[in-house]
């Protein structure tokens, strides 16, 4: 025998097989394993003579050998595996692993070809795991994983299922926890290999290695024995990395798939009957790779639906197997790709098998199963929702909403699982939009989005006061915070989707933001794990692109229909009248009857019965049409009445029952003319059956009716004759054994409201299913009928036109979503912010407010936007600073952020924000100890000034008696948010303790610096044209409220107005003009204030603006300077204050004399001010004005008519007014002299005016007599018109002199 280095000869197979065969020979028991030893020696001898052939035998299982040689050398390995002896099995398994991992084996291993040597080896490997040694178990797992991973071998059919079952067995009964975790990991890796290949339909694919720690997320953490996870991860990674070989492409070739017979039932027996229904599209063209994936998926679904028997209800092994199958299905769905959407067969597999599995397991109370179901459902929702619209519409209420809406007695772990799932859903903006569009806007679907939001609100508010709950205080707080986080995630996703659509440009923007976009750049929605959204991956599904208008109609139709149904459930006749009036149903009795019979809209069955029993003419005709719509032909009387009563509950009034039963009897006899002598017989018998049903199945009835009693009660009813006793006896047995009840009758009592809601959503059977009282793992039993009914719902919904999956890119849909969610969100955020001091919770709420303001503001939803902004403003507590906490300071920061981020869309809401900024500044002013504005703006009063204490800083506040400081007391006392001045409307004493709280809270406000405050105002330069006008309007309102404060007038907003006007002075004329219209009215109203210091301050502010504005040059024929200076004119004419009028004259004088070269159209306002001053009652004002007029006329006369010659007439009128001065004759005489001066200038042609013929309007010409002959008549007329006021003034002066 050769040394170990040369064992097996020169061939590649020999180098692998030789050492292993030699080791088998050494480890074998010679007497017991003589055949094995002999076979090994023969194989070694054979290998010594073999070399790798150049031409590969396509039918050979080993690379480089012929088929016969390959079978000969593999036979010892098969014998060793079958020897049931660990010492020989171990080298055989090692050899088999190398053959697969090195790519030496090749071909197809199928259970249908059971005489294949490779099939026998794999089967033996599966069996050898039962020897009972830990090392052998791991070696078996290693071989099986390498066999499935090998790209040269395709293990399929029953052989593949056998491999999976072997791994299952090791997991369920492994010798230690590490082996069980390894088995679970190998199973997950095998399923990943199978379905990754099925996705690409190729053996040549890159396969991801599973994460062992992720597999232990929900279960089997108890199996971890220290380093088990690390060991198992290395185990799987080594096998995956050891795989070599060239992929065999022939396995990807298409072939005709025959319909499977029970899909591998030989491997796992006892499948549920529901699984044996005909598979849609199970035949046709596929590939072997994809067929294997289909078989594995189908059988995993079957295994997940196995339930314990009544004999052994606590079968933990079966429960573990069920849980493992769900975990593997989770791996498949989590890694699933386009094949599950594009391939009809795989999509139908989800609908037919996986959905049925979720349906059946939904009734179990095992936590791990519920978590796995939720995880699988999340994958379906994220990736495959476009093809599973009806199924998701059923499972969402069943799995998620049922738990979410249970506020009083929920399972903590279940509800936390649901809240975590909703948080993930909320993080995907497209899912949120799609849910609303496809369910809340679909008449035949539940309002999932609305119920999510309302359920989260209920959870955020906690159990109602006085109610009994199983939750601890910590659990309740946890639920509240998590639900708020979900609501924040939802509104954030809505905003992110809106921003994304606006950025893409696929939507029509509302008018409020046509020209500008929000300054904040929100991040685009990202999908977990980097997967592409379902709508992008699969556009070819039955999805339709819908616009907001279409969805609005559908949503409105649904809401109106629900309103009609709600009305019907209170007053049936009113409800029918409303539904007919709104054209939700036709006005014929037949159409109304059809609506009642189908009852897909949540009608209350009791109310249906009441309506059918009414005696009004229309209701009677509807009842007749309702009964006539039934076909009782060839139907037994008992079955007919049962079939008839399944859609409504008989009314309690005997006359109503009489009318219904009378019509039923007539219809039954018409369908079965030979059944009874007359309809009277059927009528009486129907009554008897109803009475028997009540008697037999009502627990309140003690003495039950016997069969003989029933027969005796019905003697002589057939036209005086008796019905056969056998017939009546059989009818009695039928009713007693099987109660007549409606389809919707539930096994657990529910409130009327819940019944109505469940019927509306089509969930009666499902609620019955999940509410079935059972122990942890008992089978559902009678619920098989309910499961079939729900399957029928799936099929019925999939056939409707409404089942089309709708995609939408029009952001207008957000309006309807906000209508649904803004109220619950406002309540949840407000209550949590008010009641909780937890920094994390309050921060979440404030983020929610910010996102809500963003969405509502951009969408132009004024009411909702103002509600959110007002709430945040109130939570700043700036109106009662003594009660402030850290969360209130955070609210201040949120207000500032809202102003910066969404300023373009705040409109009227700016007033709330600017009010908050004003109050912050006031508090900071008090904290710094600076003098208050009141000391500058109050009317001087020496006595008061002496008594009032000086303002003090924080350190001084702590040391001195501050109860006498009215400014501090007003703020400490506080007031309502809406009060114009804080503390004005409040009364009562202020304690030193309150003052101490206030002083401490001033330190909190140090977090808000001057930079943050000023940033809002400096940022106004970036506001769009609509927003800056709204901003100025709001700031004017706030400034007026500050200045009009009776106790503490302030000028903060007024100074900011001047700043804003300065910041925005470079805007285009149209925008600046609109801004100035607002500012002008403000300056006029405040300038006429009775509070003189306030009015003086305002006029000085206006002067500052005017001086700044006059630095800008104005072109000819514009009138904006005149508009800008008009407030001076109006106040000069209307003010009763001498000081104000004198100040205006001084301001105008200063402006004109310092900016004379820039004054153009402003001359008109200047002369109007001086004209008013000329008629003033005070001499000093007249003299002051005339002094300036004198300087203007003497030194700057050419500038008066530089751009607009009509200002000359204004100048003349002003001088004429001065000629009438009653205070000083010198003024009148000088005015007359100036008029003469103007006449001379005019006569000499020295009047300068704009040259109308110039192209650019900037050149000027001098009118003189030398070229007057070349003027047109129009120019002569214009020139002559300047003489009119001048001559009129001369005549007037002459007349006064004569008098």
């Amino acid at each position: 025998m050769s040394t170990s280095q040369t064992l097996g000869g020169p061939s590649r197979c020999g180098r692998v097989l030789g050492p292993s065969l030699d080791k088998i020979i050494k480890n074998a028991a010679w007497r017991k394993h003589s055949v094995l030893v002999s076979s090994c020696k023969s194989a070694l001898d054979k290998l010594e003579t073999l070399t790798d052939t150049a031409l590969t035998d396509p039918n050979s299982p080993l690379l480089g050998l012929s088929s016969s040689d390959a079978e000969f050398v593999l036979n010892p390995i098969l014998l060793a595996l079958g020897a049931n002896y660990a010492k020989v099995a171990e080298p055989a398994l090692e050899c088999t692993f190398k053959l697969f991992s090195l790519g030496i084996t090749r071909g197809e291993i199928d259970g249908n070809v059971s005489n294949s040597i490779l099939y026998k080896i794999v089967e033996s490997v599966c069996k050898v795991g039962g020897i009972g040694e830990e090392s052998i178990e791991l070696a078996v797992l290693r071989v099986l994983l390498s066999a499935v991973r090998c790209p040269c071998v395709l293990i399929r059919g029953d052989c593949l299922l056998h491999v999976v079952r072997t791994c299952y067995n090791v997991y369920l009964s492994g010798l230690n926890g590490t082996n069980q975790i390894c088995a679970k990991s190998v199973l997950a890796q095998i399923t990943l290999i199978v379905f990754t290949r099925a996705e690409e339909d190729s053996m040549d694919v890159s396969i991801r290695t599973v994460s062992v720690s992720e597999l232990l997320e929900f279960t089997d953490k108890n199996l971890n024995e220290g380093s088990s996870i690390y060991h198992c991860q290395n185990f799987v990674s080594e096998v995956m990395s050891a795989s070599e070989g060239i992929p065999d492409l022939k396995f990807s070739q298409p072939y005709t798939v025959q319909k499977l017979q029970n899909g591998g039932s030989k491997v796992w027996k006892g499948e549920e009957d529901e699984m044996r229904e005909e598979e849609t599209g199970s035949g046709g063209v596929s590939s072997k790779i994809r067929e294997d994936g289909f078989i594995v998926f189908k059988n995993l679904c079957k295994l997940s639906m196995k339930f314990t028997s009544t004999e052994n209800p606590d079968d933990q092994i079966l429960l573990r197997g069920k849980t493992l199958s769900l975990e593997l299905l989770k791996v498949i769905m989590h890694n699933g790709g386009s094949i599950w959407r594009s391939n009809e067969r795989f999509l139908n597999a989800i609908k037919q098998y996986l959905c049925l599995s979720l349906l059946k397991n939904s009734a179990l109370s095992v936590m791990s199963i519920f978590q796995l179901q939720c995880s699988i459902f999340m994958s379906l929702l994220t990736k495959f929702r476009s093809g599973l619209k009806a199924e998701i519409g059923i499972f969402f209420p069943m799995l998620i909403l049922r738990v979410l809406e249970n506020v009083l007695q929920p399972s903590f772990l279940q509800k936390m699982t649901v809240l975590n799932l909703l948080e993930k859903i909320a993080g995907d903006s497209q899912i949120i939009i799609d849910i609303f569009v496809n369910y809340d806007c679909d008449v035949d679907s539940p309002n999932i989005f609305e119920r999510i939001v309302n359920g989260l609100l209920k959870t955020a508010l906690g159990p109602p006061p006085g109610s009994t709950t199983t939750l601890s205080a910590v659990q309740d707080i946890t639920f509240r915070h998590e639900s708020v986080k979900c609501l924040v995630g939802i509104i954030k996703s809505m905003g992110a989707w809106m921003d994304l659509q606006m950025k893409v440009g696929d939507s029509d923007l509302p008018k409020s933001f046509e020209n500008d976009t929000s300054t904040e750049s929100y991040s685009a929605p990202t999908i977990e794990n980097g997967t592409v959204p379902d709508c992008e991956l699969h556009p070819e599904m039955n999805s339709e692109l819908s616009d907001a208008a279409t969805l609005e109609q559908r949503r409105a139709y649904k809401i109106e229909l629900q309103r009609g149904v709600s009305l019907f459930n209170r007053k049936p006749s009113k409800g029918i009248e409303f539904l007919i009036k709104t054209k939700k149903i036709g006005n014929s009795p037949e159409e109304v009857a059809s609506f009642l019979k189908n009852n897909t809209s949540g009608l209350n069955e009791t109310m249906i019965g009441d309506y059918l029993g009414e005696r009004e003419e229309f209701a009677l005709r509807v009842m007749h049409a309702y009964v006539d719509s039934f076909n009782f032909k060839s139907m037994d009387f008992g079955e007919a009445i049962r079939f008839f009563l399944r859609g409504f509950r008989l009314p309690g009034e005997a006359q109503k029952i009489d009318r219904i039963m009378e019509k039923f009897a007539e219809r039954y006899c018409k369908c079965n003319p030979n059944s009874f002598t007359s309809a009277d017989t059927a009528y009486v018998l129907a009554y008897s059956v109803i009475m028997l049903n009540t008697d037999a199945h009502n627990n309140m009835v003690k003495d039950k009716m016997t069969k003989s009693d029933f027969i005796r009660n019905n003697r002589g009813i057939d036209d005086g004759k008796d019905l056969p006793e056998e017939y009546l006896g059989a009818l009695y047995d039928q009713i007693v054994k099987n109660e007549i009840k409606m389809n919707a009758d539930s096994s657990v009592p529910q409130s009327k409201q819940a019944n109505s809601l469940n019927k509306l959503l089509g969930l009666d059977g499902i609620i019955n299913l999940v509410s079935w009282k059972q122990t942890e793992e008992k089978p559902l039993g009678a619920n098989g009928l309910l499961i079939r009914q729900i399957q029928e719902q799936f099929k019925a919904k999939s056939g409707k036109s409404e089942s089309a999956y709708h995609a939408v890119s029009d952001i207008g849909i957000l309006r309807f979503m906000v209508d649904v969610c803004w109220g619950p969100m406002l309540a949840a955020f407000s209550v949590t912010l008010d009641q909780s001091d937890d920094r994390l919770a309050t921060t979440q709420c404030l983020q929610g407010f910010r996102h809500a303001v963003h969405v509502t503001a951009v969408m132009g939803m004024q009411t909702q936007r103002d509600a959110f902004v007002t709430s945040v403003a109130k939570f700043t507590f700036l109106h009662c600073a003594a009660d402030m906490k850290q969360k209130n300071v955070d609210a201040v920061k949120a207000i500032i952020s809202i102003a910066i981020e969404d300023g373009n869309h705040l409109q009227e809401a700016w007033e709330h924000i600017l009010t908050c900024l004003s109050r912050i500044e006031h508090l900071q002013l008090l904290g710094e100890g600076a003098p208050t504005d009141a000391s500058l703006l109050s009317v001087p009063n020496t006595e008061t000034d002496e008594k009032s204490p000086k303002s003090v800083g924080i350190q001084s506040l702590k040391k001195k008696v501050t109860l006498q400081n009215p400014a501090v007391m007003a703020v400490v006392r506080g007031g309502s948010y809406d009060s114009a001045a804080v503390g004005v409307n409040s009364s009562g004493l202020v304690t030193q303790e309150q003052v101490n709280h206030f002083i401490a809270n001033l330190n909190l406000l140090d977090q808000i610096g001057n930079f943050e405050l000023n940033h809002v105002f400096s940022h106004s330069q970036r506001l769009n044209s609509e927003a800056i006008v709204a901003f100025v309007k709001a700031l004017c309102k706030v400034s007026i409220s500050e200045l009009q404060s009776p106790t503490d007038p302030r000028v903060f907003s007024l100074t900011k107005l001047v700043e804003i006007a300065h910041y925005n002075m470079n805007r285009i004329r149209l925008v600046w003009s609109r801004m100035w219209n607002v500012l002008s009215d403000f300056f006029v109203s405040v300038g006429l204030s009775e509070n003189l210091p306030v009015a003086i301050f305002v006029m000085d502010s206006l002067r500052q603006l005017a001086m700044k504005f006059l630095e800008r040059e104005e072109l000819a024929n514009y009138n904006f300077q005149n508009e800008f200076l008009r407030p001076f004119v109006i106040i000069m004419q209307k003010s009763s204050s001498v000081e104000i009028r004198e100040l205006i004259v001084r301001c105008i004088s200063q402006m004109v004399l310092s900016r004379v070269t820039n004054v153009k159209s402003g001359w008109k306002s200047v002369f109007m001010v001086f004209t008013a001053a000329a008629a003033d009652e005070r001499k000093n004002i007249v003299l002051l004005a005339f002094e300036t007029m004198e300087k203007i006329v003497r030194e700057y006369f050419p500038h008066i008519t530089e751009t607009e010659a009509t200002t000359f007439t204004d100048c003349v009128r002003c001088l004429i007014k001065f000629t009438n001065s009653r205070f000083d004759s010198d003024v009148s005489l000088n005015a007359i002299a100036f008029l003469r001066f103007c006449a001379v200038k005019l006569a000499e042609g020295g009047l300068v005016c704009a040259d109308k013929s110039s192209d650019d309007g900037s050149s000027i010409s001098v009118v003189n007599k030398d070229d007057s002959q070349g003027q047109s008549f129009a120019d002569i007329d214009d020139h002559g018109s300047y003489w009119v006021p001048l001559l009129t003034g001369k005549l007037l002066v002459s007349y006064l002199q004569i008098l």
Side-chain angles (χ1 to χ4, degrees), residues 179 378 392 515 611 732 834 840 1041 1092:
N179 284 12
M378 183 63 193
I392 289 174
N515 300 321
Y611 182 75
Y732 175 88
D834 182 53
L840 183 61
S1041 67
L1092 181 59

Side-chain angles (χ1 to χ4, degrees), residues 709-1005:
D709 292 336
F710 180 71
I711 295 173
R712 184 173 61 252
N713 291 341
N714 289 286
R715 283 179 180 165
I717 65 171
D718 190 18
D719 203 12
K721 300 177 184 177
D722 292 343
L723 292 172
E725 287 192 9
E726 297 79 7
Y727 176 80
L728 292 175
L731 185 59
Y732 175 88
D733 293 336
Q734 185 182 8
I735 301 302
V736 170
K737 291 178 182 177
N738 190 4
E739 180 185 1
I740 297 175
K741 56 184 178 181
M742 298 175 299
N743 280 340
D745 278 351
S746 177
S747 61
V748 292
Q750 299 175 5
S751 65
K752 291 183 179 180
Q753 182 180 2
N755 273 327
S756 175
L757 181 63
N758 294 335
K759 186 67 179 178
L760 174 63
L761 303 180
L763 302 179
D764 296 292
I766 297 172
I767 298 301
N768 189 8
L769 177 68
V770 298
S771 302
W772 193 273
K773 293 183 179 179
Q774 56 178 336
T775 57
E776 191 169 82
E777 265 297 294
K778 283 188 178 178
L780 297 181
N783 281 343
L785 177 62
L786 292 173
I787 292 172
R788 290 192 181 91
Q789 290 176 357
I790 297 169
Q791 285 181 296
E792 291 299 323
Q793 285 186 33
F794 286 149
K795 294 178 181 178
K797 288 190 175 184
S798 63
K800 292 186 177 182
S801 60
E802 290 83 356
S803 66
Y805 186 83
H806 295 272
V808 64
S809 61
D810 187 347
I811 62 171
I813 191 65
L814 290 175
R815 294 180 182 277
F816 316 123
M817 296 182 70
V818 172
D819 283 338
V820 169
C821 71
W822 79 273
M825 286 182 176
L826 180 62
F829 298 157
S830 299
V831 171
T832 305
L833 198 55
D834 182 53
Q835 296 179 353
S836 175
D837 288 328
D838 181 83
R839 186 74 183 274
L840 183 61
T842 55
T843 302
Q844 285 284 349
C845 291
L846 291 171
Q847 286 182 357
F849 275 118
R850 287 176 56 187
H851 294 302
V853 170
H854 175 64
V855 174
T856 53
V858 174
M859 294 306 300
M861 304 181 74
Q862 179 180 343
T863 303
Q864 292 84 351
R865 176 201 65 210
D866 291 351
F868 284 112
V869 173
T870 305
S871 296
V872 182
K874 288 181 178 179
F875 277 115
T876 61
F877 269 42
L878 294 168
H879 52 286
C880 45
D883 299 326
M884 284 185 71
K885 300 178 181 178
Q886 178 59 48
K887 64 182 179 181
N888 305 115
V889 178
D890 292 337
V892 173
K893 295 178 182 177
I895 277 284
I896 295 175
S897 298
I898 289 170
I900 300 298
E901 295 162 2
D902 294 299
N904 277 332
H905 314 292
L906 290 174
Q907 299 299 320
E908 293 83 0
W910 268 116
E911 185 178 348
H912 300 288
I913 293 176
L914 295 174
T915 300
C916 288
L917 300 184
S918 170
R919 289 173 175 173
I920 294 171
E921 191 271 346
H922 188 203
L923 292 174
Q924 290 180 337
L925 201 65
L926 292 175
E928 293 168 0
T932 61
D933 295 341
S935 61
L936 303 174
L937 300 179
S938 58
V939 179
N941 187 325
T942 306
E943 185 178 346
T944 307
D945 291 343
E946 290 176 355
K947 291 184 179 179
S948 62
K950 295 181 179 180
S951 187
V952 291
I954 290 180
Q955 298 301 324
S956 302
L957 282 174
K958 294 178 181 178
K959 297 177 182 179
K960 297 185 178 181
V961 180
T962 59
L963 298 179
Q964 297 176 357
N965 189 325
V968 175
M969 291 308 97
V971 176
V972 172
R973 191 179 298 116
S976 67
Y977 169 78
D978 298 318
S979 58
V982 174
V984 171
N985 299 324
S986 303
S987 60
L989 298 175
V990 175
T991 64
Q992 186 64 48
E993 185 180 0
Q994 288 177 302
V995 174
N996 294 337
H997 276 299
F998 168 69
I999 295 171
N1001 290 340
L1002 287 179
N1003 293 323
L1004 286 175
L1005 282 175

Side-chain angles (χ1 to χ4, degrees), residues 97-317:
F97 168 72
K98 291 181 179 179
L99 290 174
F100 282 119
S101 62
L102 296 175
I104 297 174
T105 53
R106 55 201 310 106
E108 181 180 323
I109 308 177
D110 192 348
N112 295 328
V113 190
S114 57
N115 58 350
S116 163
I117 185 68
L118 288 181
Y119 173 77
K120 292 176 182 177
I121 288 177
V122 172
E123 190 176 35
S124 298
V125 169
C126 292
K127 290 178 181 178
V128 80
I131 289 179
E133 290 198 13
E134 296 177 4
S135 60
I136 296 297
E137 282 185 346
L138 286 177
V140 167
L141 294 173
R142 193 162 170 245
V143 171
L144 294 180
L145 179 55
S146 66
V148 176
R149 175 66 182 95
C150 179
C152 312
V153 175
L154 178 62
I155 301 179
R156 60 184 315 271
D158 285 348
C159 186
L160 179 60
L161 295 179
H162 198 177
V163 169
V164 173
R165 183 181 64 178
T166 302
C167 297
Y168 254 99
N169 291 337
V170 175
Y171 168 74
L172 294 175
S173 56
L175 297 175
N176 58 46
T178 301
N179 284 12
Q180 292 182 30
I181 295 176
C182 278
K184 184 177 186 177
S185 306
V186 167
L187 267 174
Q189 190 66 65
I190 287 175
T191 56
L192 198 57
I193 293 169
V194 170
F195 286 95
T196 303
R197 289 173 176 173
E199 285 281 351
E200 302 295 331
D201 201 9
S202 170
M203 300 290 286
D204 186 16
V205 292
S206 175
I207 299 171
R208 182 178 68 86
T209 303
V210 296
S211 169
V212 177
S213 58
E214 288 181 5
L215 294 174
L216 302 183
E217 180 183 1
F218 300 125
T219 58
D220 296 330
K221 293 178 182 177
N222 60 312
L223 297 178
N224 187 11
E225 301 169 345
S227 60
S228 296
I229 294 178
Y230 176 77
H231 173 76
C232 295
Q233 189 68 66
N234 287 339
F235 177 84
V236 175
S237 299
E238 287 174 6
V239 176
M240 292 297 293
S241 60
S243 178
E244 300 177 10
I246 301 173
D248 197 335
L249 302 179
K250 69 181 179 181
F251 301 130
S252 304
Q253 295 175 357
Y255 81 111
T256 303
V257 180
Q258 302 296 326
K259 289 187 179 180
L260 296 177
Q261 298 298 321
N262 295 331
S265 59
K266 292 184 292 181
V267 182
W268 288 320
K269 297 180 181 180
E271 299 89 346
E272 306 296 336
D273 294 337
E274 290 81 1
M275 302 294 293
R276 298 183 181 179
E277 296 177 4
E278 182 180 355
E279 298 172 15
T280 305
S282 58
V285 177
S286 181
S287 70
K288 293 179 180 180
I289 296 174
R290 289 190 168 177
E291 187 63 25
D292 292 338
F294 183 85
I295 292 172
V296 171
F297 181 78
K298 179 179 177 181
N299 280 277
L300 286 175
C301 290
K302 289 180 180 181
L303 189 61
S304 69
M305 286 184 282
K306 284 192 174 184
F307 288 89
T308 54
S309 62
T310 53
E311 293 82 10
N312 187 15
D314 298 321
D315 190 345
Q316 291 300 312
I317 292 180

